[in-house]
Amino acid sequence: PKSQPHASRQYKTCQLKFRKTARIMDGGTSAAPNRSPSEFVKTVLGKPVIVRLHSGVEYRGILACLDGYMNIALEQTEEYVNGELKNKYGDAFVRGNNVLYISAQKKRTL
């Protein structure tokens, strides 16, 4: 499914503030290990990411928005359970208290 342009515009007003305790990972691809969470998010905003929940479920999609509570908006979202593709969604919203980590995705498979 192709991303809808109007959906992207509504997320541009998101703030990129983070709690100091937020656990954000970049999949070990960082050239600068001491960068802050907000610097990491700026590099992956609009790019493919993997969002892993405490339950073990993963959502893979384009990071449209993330706020200070780690509430996440994804576009072109795919849901994986035990590594198996279960569902495909257009836009998806993930409540921050369910997020274990956010990781940069090396390649986007469609």
Side-chain angles (χ1 to χ4, degrees):
K2 201 170 186 179
S3 175
Q4 299 174 2
H6 72 279
S8 296
R9 284 191 298 251
Q10 72 186 20
Y11 303 133
K12 287 186 178 181
T13 59
C14 287
Q15 297 177 353
L16 298 176
K17 296 177 183 176
F18 296 93
R19 296 174 287 172
K20 290 182 181 178
T21 58
R23 288 178 269 172
I24 299 179
M25 299 170 33
D26 66 359
T29 60
S30 172
N34 294 328
R35 65 183 171 168
S36 70
S38 61
E39 289 171 339
F40 165 69
V41 169
K42 287 177 187 176
T43 64
V44 296
L45 194 61
K47 296 182 181 169
V49 295
I50 300 170
V51 177
R52 185 168 180 101
L53 306 185
H54 293 290
S55 66
V57 175
E58 287 185 353
Y59 291 94
R60 298 177 187 186
I62 308 299
L63 181 63
C65 177
L66 186 128
D67 68 11
Y69 297 100
M70 286 186 64
N71 295 315
I72 297 168
L74 295 172
E75 297 174 341
Q76 303 174 28
T77 310
E78 298 174 339
E79 179 182 47
Y80 288 83
V81 178
N82 297 323
E84 183 181 328
L85 178 63
K86 291 292 181 180
N87 288 302
K88 289 187 177 186
Y89 307 103
D91 295 340
F93 299 91
V94 180
R95 186 172 171 166
N97 66 337
N98 296 310
V99 176
L100 180 62
Y101 66 78
I102 302 171
S103 176
Q105 187 175 351
K106 292 184 181 182
K107 282 190 174 180
R108 174 80 172 149
T109 55
L110 296 175

